[in-house]
Amino acid sequence: MSDFFVRVSHFSFVQNVWMIPCLPLLGALIAALGARRLRSSSHVPVVAGIVLAFLVSCGALFSTNPTEAPRVAGWLSISNLEVPIEFRVDGLTTMMLSMVTFVSSLVAIFAVGYMAGDPGYPRFFALIGLFVFSMTGLVLSNNYLLTYVFWEGVGVCSYLLIGYWHTRPAAATAALKAFLVNRIGDFGFALAIFWLWAVVPGHDLSYGNILNGSTLAALPEAAKLGIPLLLFWAATAKSAQIPLYVWLPDAMEGPTPVSALIHAATMVTAGVYLIARSMPLIALAPGVQVLIAVTGCATALLSASIALTQNDLKRVMAYSTVSQLGYMFMGLGAGVSDVAQLAVVAAMFHLFTHAFFKALLFLASGSVMHAMGDVIDMRRFGGLRRRLPITHLTFAVGGLALAGIFPFAGFFSKDEILLALKSASHSAAGQGWGWVYLLIYWVALVTVLMTAFYTARAYFMTFWGPEKLPSPDDPEAPRTEPGSGHGDHEPHGASQDETHGHDHVGEESPLVMTLPLVILAVCALLAGIVFGPTPRFEVLARSIFGLTHPFEHHLQKTFGWELLGHGEHGFDLATAGISTVGGLLGIGLACWFYATESSIPGWLATRFRSLYEASFNKFYVDEVYDWVVVKATWALARICEFLDIYLVDQLVIGIAKLPRKLAKDLLAGYQNGLIQFYAAVSALGVAVLLFILLLF
Amino acid sequence: MSDNLLLTSLWLLPLIGMVGVLAVPRRSEAAIKYLALAATIITFVVTLIALGLYVGDGPSSAPLQDRVIHNVLQKDGSGALTIADESAGEGDLVVRRSWIPYFNIQYYLGLDGISLSLVVLTGLISVLACLASWNITKQVKGYYALFLLLVASMMGVFVSLDLFLFYVFFEVMLLPMYFLIGIWGGPDREYAAIKFLLYTLFGSVFILVAVLILFFWSGDTTGAQSLYNATGQVQPFTGHSFDIVELTGVATKTGYYGLGIQSWVFVLFLIGFLIKLPSFPFHTWLPDAHVEAPTPISMILAGILLKIGGYGLIRLAWPLAPLGAHYWAYFVAALGVFSILYGALVAMAQTDFKKLVAYSSVSHMGYVTLGLAAMNLLTSPQYYAYGVNGAMFMMLAHGITSAGMFFLVGVIYDRAHTRDLNKLGGLNNIMPLYGAISYVIFFGSMGLPGLCGFVAEFFVVVAAFNYSKLLAVLAATAVVLTAGYILWTLQRVFLGRSETWKGLPDMDLREIVVAVPLVVLTIAMGVFPNTLVLSWVSPSVGEMVNSVVTAARELNVSAIRTVEKTAPRIPDSISAPSTRPAVASRASGSL
């Protein structure tokens, strides 16, 4: 036994970090191959794999080492190109790993209850395991090409999980859209990799080779601008920013645990991670950073304004995710000169806290959906606070965190980003960008108000007002779908897809679902104050938890970040004050409008009809894309096909017919079988020959 | 096993199988099927033995040109050429015998990484296609006899090291293919078969002319002393050779064939093999042939026959005319990129499942052309190897995935009797196993990282990026287009719900046996590209790249520049040394 402890104490988490992706993969393989035998216990290997991976991640968290990159295996090598499977266990990676495996564990446990009875149960858990494998691989990779491999891997998992209910056309289309939009981003990522390959010494794509001072200094000027731009392009697809955000709201067609895990907490933050990981490279191009901040800001504002009018609870959350990702990009974009490290840490801290409270909000929405028989339209239910007490409370905690109310997690992280923006407006003033950051700062504050408003609107519409349960007679109920949800009215299919949820309409979810909610709610409440990156509440945090802003200290152990400037932390009560007032104002308005029956929202909608319509119809972005991109490509494809049939092939056929035509029309006529004709031609020929002989 | 026995049995075993099939009475169909299956399996085992010998430590691991000099012929008393020493060079996977001494034609076989990988692929796909032929009911005896003849000729093409022998196998291949499409094909089979036959024959005329030019051309002999010929003696090279290895040496190390004539040889080979590959604008026979061909023949056609075009480019067009290849490189690379995009776009517009897969082949084969033509030899020649390795990997990866895709199309056609993408749908629910297998293979074709297609595309586009940024960016847009047509196809076939197809049976055991090796290879080649393929293929690719690079650099760039101003002229007479570009004098100086 003591021998065992000795071995455990010598266990190197850094060297054995490969276990983190491999354990969930193993679970997924067992679930997939043993699907027939395991059936309703298919979740066991996957949940076990993810939980074990979480434990290893916790170990890795405390043995973080930014300089070491253990090599697991070789992958590609020809002539002088070598791409090994190599993992780096630094601050950023271990933070992401712990977050991903923690949230995944809780979501997987939640899904045990949520997905119970679904015919594709083993497939669901196999895919979740595969996703955790890809996602942990993504944050572990020490090489841009390997990151790209996992980057596509999470994309595939997302595709397969959005289309999980593959019999529903809407799910199939959403999955296709998600994958294609992501591929547009991957195109940018691929170009960035090719470009990097061409300019870095030794064509070594590992982070160790690229993100060090001497390599970065030696980059050609065009590459210093172009590569960050292409990496950001890749990030806009994966992390749903303008102009490639359109896939994320549709991705809500997937099962709710998938929305919580992949499309809120983890995969969509991959773009933020990529930019943060490449920050020393990105920081070479202040212009790109301004672009990142402006894009983040515009996305946050646009999606928040769409979220104001949506009636689908999950869609509100989806647009809110897009909006919050916008905040993270604002933070990343604010990382200029001496604010760099502060800003990146702020963005990553928001990523960290957002994972908890957004996963919580999604799972709580899922719990509502579960209780409402898969109805998610907020107009069809209301006043559920007594029926679903745990869901109600946990949703409220998540909502307060999202709205950024002290002392919930979102307050700290959002404030950090606002603070970074404010500092950036001073630091970037020298380059003439100061006013841009100041503008972004104010827009971000306005967005805080909108965020609080739509969050509270969803909360009040769902849990307050007179109690109301969905019925097939609701005017909002889809006509083709008498109350069964999942767009499936076929009796057989309906019983296949929706056995869950129907037996216990209006009841609180089972413990296996509420427990993860409670744990996440505790995180959403405490994550900010415990891990808080600023010294602002240092005294408080130290006296209660014995910790001093551990998050920032941990992230400083990230490879390459020592290259980033880090100035002093400011202390800005004004920002905190304004954002809190904004948040409270938003909640107050929503309470006034929606907590009880009120005519104000309706009056506003008619008063500002065109604005309301535009927001309700998502500003018609989908329609524009459909025309400009989809229809144009399709037309081009048709033109090519037309040319193929009527030009290229006809040319071939024409050439093939040429000999025959030549023979038939030109030569065949002379073979008429008349002796006289042949004799005449022969004589003519002889005459011509003689004539020629005479001439020469 | 002696080299002679081993290499000869590669093409002779299927032929013996054919004779055996012909000897079995026409009624006993089961006997015919099992006999044919046995013949293909034994052939496949022999290819694996050859692979084992090649990757082992034996003499066979040396570069091909070092191995052939151990196998030499000598004149015996009567003046006939015979093998000098049977035991010399034993175990090095090269066989050389005199065949038609008057024209210096040899029975000359040899394997290196490039040909061996395709031989193994041929062995595998033959077995799987034979299994996939199980439900052919029309004239079973004739079908299997022709099928085995086809396998024999394909094997022969890959193992030949003599241009004449290569050409014989190349032409023999057309005959069984013509009948296999023309008799066992779909409703419009006769049109497709004759189109295939005439188009390919048309292409082989170009190849023949190129071969004859190489044979009869009398060029500059000053630099040619250091070369071994069939008898192992060092003597001036005077043409009149069909020996691929010797010709490669001459074309790359000496100025015997100058840029002017190499441009012509290259263009002739290029047209001939681009028709086979096929590349835009010579691709229109492919959709017709595929749509009409029965499933197993489509598997062979996509899996192996198209690779013969690529093999011809890698083995003949580039090494035998490196200066010409370099001269035309940008044009060919642009053609490759155009094929990639055009194939993908036309595939997107298809409603016939099989036609869609056929056009996807056009798109994927564009990567082969692009990888070979991305010849940035002047500034960084070492990266040319990426492109050729990528092209080679693409041929193998596409051999696996396209055979798989055509098989899967066949599986559904057998059940639903339609390939119309607008009529199919909802199959995931009805045939879950079929769905799962299809997803892996189609994703592999899409170039998803971790599956086989990605490695190939990555290498090719990296090489292209090093050659021309514009072409690389254009080629990379295929990432989106390919995903577009493949995902949309998957959606139309597998997703949704369908009443029409309810009750279709899932794949049976025989179909699973065919599909599983393809699925396993699709994944394994993406996860272990080095161990499985690159470790033994890429040294041979390196040899080919080195010879092309040396040729283009030493023979040399300045010569190319002077000639570039005047377009290559056709020689007045093939047998007279009338045009001799400036290459020769410089080359002899540099050697």
Side-chain angles (χ1 to χ4, degrees):
Chain A
M1 198 63 190
S2 64
D3 186 45
F4 174 77
F5 282 114
V6 170
R7 226 183 286 160
V8 166
S9 64
H10 284 95
F11 183 82
S12 163
F13 283 102
V14 175
Q15 290 301 328
N16 289 292
V17 79
W18 55 268
M19 289 167 70
I20 298 174
C22 287
L23 285 168
L25 180 67
L26 188 69
L29 286 176
I30 295 173
L33 297 176
R36 289 226 174 106
R37 187 159 302 177
L38 289 169
R39 263 344 287 181
S40 61
S41 50
S42 298
H43 58 272
V44 176
V46 176
V47 172
I50 299 175
V51 170
L52 284 174
F54 170 63
L55 295 178
V56 180
S57 304
C58 288
L61 199 61
F62 295 105
S63 47
T64 300
N65 183 352
T67 51
E68 205 176 346
R71 182 193 162 106
V72 178
W75 181 47
L76 269 184
S77 71
I78 47 165
S79 59
N80 60 347
L81 179 85
E82 197 178 340
V83 184
I85 297 178
E86 219 173 44
F87 292 147
R88 188 178 287 279
V89 193
D90 65 2
L92 182 61
T93 294
T94 47
M95 184 281 285
M96 290 293 287
L97 276 179
S98 319
M99 184 276 281
V100 168
T101 49
F102 178 70
V103 176
S104 308
S105 306
L106 293 178
V107 170
I109 292 168
F110 179 89
V112 172
Y114 188 83
M115 300 301 291
D118 192 278
Y121 196 72
R123 180 163 55 97
F124 179 84
F125 280 96
L127 288 173
I128 290 283
L130 192 65
F131 168 75
V132 178
F133 161 75
S134 307
M135 188 67 207
T136 49
L138 193 157
V139 295
L140 271 168
S141 307
N142 183 36
N143 186 302
Y144 275 104
L145 189 60
L146 200 59
T147 305
Y148 180 81
V149 170
F150 287 113
W151 181 271
E152 289 244 15
V154 291
V156 174
C157 294
S158 153
Y159 165 79
L160 293 171
L161 282 166
I162 295 170
Y164 173 76
W165 282 309
H166 51 76
T167 50
R168 304 164 59 200
T173 309
L176 177 76
K177 184 173 174 185
F179 205 156
L180 278 187
V181 173
N182 271 299
R183 273 256 155 169
I184 295 174
D186 296 345
F187 168 63
F189 198 172
L191 290 183
I193 289 176
F194 296 144
W195 201 339
L196 276 172
W197 173 85
V199 294
V200 298
H203 304 295
D204 179 358
L205 290 167
S206 70
Y207 293 132
N209 184 41
I210 293 171
L211 302 176
N212 68 54
S214 58
T215 308
L216 292 176
L219 285 181
E221 283 306 313
K224 278 183 186 170
L225 183 67
I227 295 172
L229 205 57
L230 287 168
L231 287 175
F232 177 54
W233 176 358
T236 55
K238 200 58 95 195
S239 290
Q241 297 296 294
I242 291 174
L244 299 177
Y245 71 93
V246 287
W247 65 273
L248 187 58
D250 288 13
M252 298 304 134
E253 290 294 337
T256 306
V258 171
S259 310
L261 177 62
I262 300 184
H263 305 116
T266 57
M267 186 193 82
V268 288
T269 60
V272 180
Y273 166 80
L274 180 72
I275 300 295
R277 168 59 73 196
S278 317
M279 206 57 202
L281 181 64
I282 307 284
L284 296 175
V288 175
Q289 287 199 303
V290 174
L291 179 71
I292 293 176
V294 169
T295 310
C297 178
T299 311
L301 184 66
L302 178 82
S303 50
S305 57
I306 295 176
L308 294 178
T309 57
Q310 299 302 309
N311 289 321
D312 178 324
L313 181 55
K314 273 179 80 180
R315 256 175 209 271
V316 174
M317 290 305 143
Y319 280 106
S320 149
T321 304
V322 176
S323 177
Q324 296 303 307
L325 289 166
Y327 272 100
M328 295 172 209
F329 278 101
M330 281 189 252
L332 292 172
V336 285
S337 59
D338 62 331
V339 200
Q341 213 174 66
L342 169 77
V344 183
V345 171
M348 294 317 288
F349 190 53
H350 195 53
L351 184 158
F352 181 72
T353 57
H354 175 257
F356 298 123
F357 63 70
K358 192 50 69 64
L360 168 62
L361 283 169
F362 265 112
L363 291 186
S365 309
S367 177
V368 170
M369 212 171 150
H370 188 75
M372 295 297 114
D374 289 318
V375 172
I376 196 65
D377 189 328
M378 292 187 287
R379 290 167 298 181
R380 294 179 60 192
F381 48 72
L384 301 177
R385 64 185 185 282
R386 294 218 174 70
R387 277 184 175 270
L388 311 174
I390 303 176
T391 307
H392 163 239
L393 270 178
T394 51
F395 191 100
V397 171
L400 286 169
L402 175 58
I405 305 298
F406 181 84
F408 295 91
F411 168 78
F412 297 92
S413 54
K414 196 176 286 182
D415 251 26
E416 284 307 308
I417 289 176
L418 293 171
L419 190 65
L421 283 168
K422 199 169 186 185
S423 314
S425 71
H426 300 306
S427 300
Q431 294 152 310
W433 297 116
W435 64 274
V436 180
Y437 284 110
L438 199 62
L439 184 69
I440 293 172
Y441 170 75
W442 284 108
V443 174
L445 278 174
V446 172
T447 312
V448 168
L449 191 151
M450 292 163 77
T451 308
F453 178 79
Y454 69 66
T455 313
R457 171 177 175 264
Y459 167 75
F460 287 119
M461 278 179 85
T462 306
F463 294 104
W464 290 76
E467 188 174 294
K468 182 182 172 193
L469 292 180
S471 87
D473 309 325
D474 290 338
E476 295 87 2
R479 255 167 287 286
T480 51
E481 177 206 0
S484 77
H486 289 328
D488 213 328
H489 50 98
E490 192 183 317
H492 171 63
S495 66
Q496 257 193 0
D497 282 3
E498 348 281 343
T499 40
H500 66 276
H502 281 288
D503 323 332
H504 29 242
V505 169
E507 288 171 26
E508 181 62 286
S509 304
L511 182 68
V512 72
M513 288 165 71
T514 48
L515 189 66
L517 288 180
V518 172
I519 296 174
L520 280 171
V522 171
C523 293
L525 176 62
L526 295 179
I529 206 159
V530 175
F531 299 108
T534 59
R536 193 181 307 162
F537 300 97
E538 196 179 324
V539 185
L540 184 67
R542 195 191 297 145
S543 57
I544 304 177
F545 307 106
L547 295 162
T548 46
H549 43 97
F551 191 85
E552 187 181 9
H553 280 304
H554 190 73
L555 277 201
Q556 275 166 350
K557 285 184 250 167
T558 299
F559 180 78
W561 280 14
E562 67 278 0
L563 300 170
L564 301 175
H566 50 112
E568 282 301 302
H569 276 299
F571 178 73
D572 191 28
L573 198 61
T575 305
I578 298 172
S579 78
T580 307
V581 169
L584 290 174
L585 195 64
I587 294 175
L589 276 176
C591 180
W592 181 30
F593 287 5
Y594 296 103
T596 52
E597 290 285 339
S598 159
S599 58
I600 303 167
W603 177 79
L604 280 174
T606 36
R607 184 80 181 71
F608 302 99
R609 178 126 211 108
S610 54
L611 263 179
Y612 174 80
E613 289 272 312
S615 163
F616 188 73
N617 292 306
K618 305 155 225 162
F619 295 100
Y620 304 100
V621 175
D622 277 334
E623 285 74 8
V624 171
Y625 279 4
D626 188 44
W627 275 99
V628 176
V629 184
V630 180
K631 291 230 163 52
T633 312
W634 174 237
L636 190 64
R638 292 306 297 268
I639 292 170
C640 283
E641 193 211 9
F642 181 84
L643 289 179
D644 201 61
I645 297 172
Y646 293 103
L647 186 73
V648 184
D649 199 30
Q650 284 306 318
L651 219 61
V652 171
I653 293 171
I655 291 172
K657 280 187 178 153
L658 207 60
R660 199 163 147 208
K661 226 168 172 60
L662 210 69
K664 202 172 167 188
D665 298 355
L666 212 65
L667 303 175
Y670 297 103
Q671 317 297 322
N672 52 12
L674 295 172
I675 298 290
Q676 301 93 317
F677 181 77
Y678 289 168
V681 172
S682 306
L684 202 68
V686 170
V688 170
L689 282 175
L690 282 175
F691 183 69
I692 290 171
L693 271 177
L694 278 175
L695 267 182
F696 300 99
Chain B
M1 200 186 304
S2 82
D3 290 332
N4 192 355
L5 183 61
L6 183 73
L7 293 179
T8 305
S9 57
L10 281 178
W11 65 267
L12 197 60
L13 275 174
L15 219 54
I16 294 171
M18 181 188 92
V19 174
V21 164
L22 289 176
V24 176
R26 114 188 346 262
R27 297 264 175 71
S28 31
E29 292 188 353
I32 291 171
K33 285 176 180 175
Y34 283 107
L35 186 63
L37 184 63
T40 51
I41 289 177
I42 294 169
T43 311
F44 180 47
V45 170
V46 174
T47 66
L48 291 180
I49 293 173
L51 177 63
L53 289 174
Y54 183 76
V55 296
D57 287 333
S60 55
S61 47
L64 194 58
Q65 60 264 40
D66 295 346
R67 282 185 275 143
V68 298
I69 55 175
H70 298 303
N71 295 267
V72 293
L73 303 175
Q74 67 182 9
K75 281 201 169 71
D76 64 4
S78 60
L81 279 170
T82 53
I83 183 81
D85 180 4
E86 291 246 11
S87 60
E90 199 47 60
D92 60 4
L93 296 181
V94 174
V95 178
R96 193 205 292 264
R97 298 287 185 275
S98 183
W99 182 19
I100 309 174
Y102 186 77
F103 290 110
N104 203 6
I105 294 169
Q106 306 165 43
Y107 173 70
Y108 186 15
L109 311 177
L111 285 175
D112 69 349
I114 297 174
S115 49
L116 182 57
S117 57
L118 291 166
V119 162
V120 174
L121 180 73
T122 310
L124 174 70
I125 301 292
S126 314
V127 174
L128 300 181
C130 193
L131 270 174
S133 311
W134 233 239
N135 45 12
I136 297 255
T137 49
K138 183 175 166 188
Q139 300 176 40
V140 174
K141 186 169 166 177
Y143 175 85
Y144 281 98
L146 287 167
F147 180 86
L148 289 169
L149 180 62
L150 181 66
V151 174
S153 55
M154 291 186 304
M155 287 286 185
V157 166
F158 289 129
V159 294
S160 300
L161 285 181
D162 186 275
L163 280 174
F164 189 85
L165 191 62
F166 175 89
Y167 192 76
V168 168
F169 280 122
F170 190 81
E171 293 293 288
V172 166
M173 201 168 58
L174 300 183
L175 175 93
M177 202 64 197
Y178 171 71
F179 287 112
L180 285 168
I181 297 175
I183 297 176
W184 287 271
D188 209 6
R189 53 186 177 261
E190 273 136 28
Y191 168 75
I194 196 76
K195 191 171 184 178
F196 164 79
L197 184 78
L198 286 183
Y199 215 142
T200 320
L201 272 177
F202 179 73
S204 44
V205 171
F206 289 86
I207 297 170
L208 183 64
V209 172
V211 169
L212 293 179
I213 291 178
L214 287 170
F215 187 78
F216 286 113
W217 181 258
S218 55
D220 179 18
T221 55
T222 42
Q225 272 91 345
S226 59
L227 290 165
Y228 282 93
N229 62 9
T231 55
Q233 283 141 355
V234 180
Q235 29 177 237
F237 180 79
T238 52
H240 302 285
S241 170
F242 287 120
D243 182 332
I244 293 176
V245 181
E246 187 184 14
L247 285 171
T248 304
V250 170
T252 53
K253 293 201 186 85
T254 76
Y256 186 85
Y257 298 105
L259 171 61
I261 195 61
Q262 284 203 10
S263 301
W264 283 100
V265 170
F266 178 75
V267 169
L268 290 167
F269 272 137
L270 186 73
I271 294 175
F273 290 122
L274 282 190
I275 288 175
K276 200 86 192 165
L277 191 58
S279 162
F280 178 87
F282 307 117
H283 64 277
T284 52
W285 62 269
L286 185 78
D288 287 324
H290 268 309
V291 167
E292 299 306 327
T295 301
I297 302 308
S298 273
M299 291 170 69
I300 296 257
L301 185 60
I304 310 166
L305 242 65
L306 307 189
K307 309 304 170 293
I308 288 174
Y311 176 74
L313 294 176
I314 291 187
R315 179 65 91 205
L316 303 181
W318 260 262
L320 294 186
L323 299 181
H326 190 242
Y327 181 83
W328 290 105
Y330 195 87
F331 173 74
V332 179
L335 193 67
V337 171
F338 192 80
S339 271
I340 295 173
L341 299 179
Y342 180 84
L345 280 170
V346 180
M348 204 177 280
Q350 298 305 317
T351 51
D352 183 323
F353 201 173
K354 215 169 177 186
K355 227 172 184 170
L356 183 141
V357 179
Y359 276 106
S360 86
S361 292
V362 176
S363 177
H364 283 112
M365 288 297 101
Y367 284 100
V368 175
T369 327
L370 176 63
L372 284 169
M375 299 175 81
N376 184 2
L377 305 184
L378 305 184
T379 52
S380 41
Q382 65 272 34
Y383 307 128
Y384 179 42
Y386 289 23
V388 184
N389 271 306
M392 201 57 220
F393 205 96
M394 177 53 92
M395 295 217 283
L396 299 173
H398 182 259
I400 302 289
T401 55
S402 68
M405 290 195 289
F406 279 115
F407 175 68
L408 292 167
V409 173
V411 166
I412 192 59
Y413 186 68
D414 283 347
R415 287 163 172 70
H417 305 290
T418 182
R419 291 186 305 257
D420 192 332
L421 290 168
N422 296 328
K423 288 185 186 151
L424 293 170
L427 294 180
N428 229 357
N429 229 20
I430 300 159
M431 303 164 67
L433 182 67
Y434 176 66
I437 288 175
S438 305
Y439 265 78
V440 176
I441 288 183
F442 277 83
F443 278 169
S445 172
M446 193 170 83
L448 202 71
L451 302 178
C452 59
F454 172 71
V455 179
E457 289 178 22
F458 174 74
F459 280 139
V460 168
V461 184
V462 161
F465 194 81
N466 191 40
Y467 178 63
S468 155
K469 302 243 187 320
L470 173 71
L471 291 181
V473 171
L474 286 174
T477 52
V479 165
V480 182
L481 291 179
T482 311
Y485 72 77
I486 288 198
L487 292 178
W488 195 37
T489 307
L490 290 174
Q491 182 183 359
R492 283 184 290 177
V493 176
F494 293 103
L495 308 182
R497 185 178 288 282
S498 164
E499 283 309 302
T500 328
W501 310 120
K502 194 161 273 179
L504 288 186
D506 209 337
M507 293 170 87
D508 61 26
L509 185 65
R510 176 183 62 86
E511 289 164 336
I512 293 171
V513 168
V514 176
V516 163
L518 298 172
V519 169
V520 169
L521 278 173
T522 301
I523 299 171
M525 277 173 63
V527 181
F528 310 108
N530 261 21
T531 330
L532 276 181
V533 179
L534 289 172
S535 62
W536 54 279
V537 173
S538 101
S540 300
V541 169
E543 293 299 323
M544 175 262 172
V545 167
N546 275 344
S547 70
V548 171
V549 169
T550 336
R553 279 172 82 85
E554 301 208 349
L555 290 178
N556 161 314
V557 179
S558 62
I560 290 169
R561 292 215 176 106
T562 53
V563 179
E564 255 171 5
K565 287 168 193 148
T566 60
R569 293 194 302 124
I570 192 151
D572 303 314
S573 150
I574 285 176
S575 56
S578 52
T579 51
R580 190 179 303 161
V583 172
S585 56
R586 258 206 76 112
S588 53
S590 69
L591 276 166

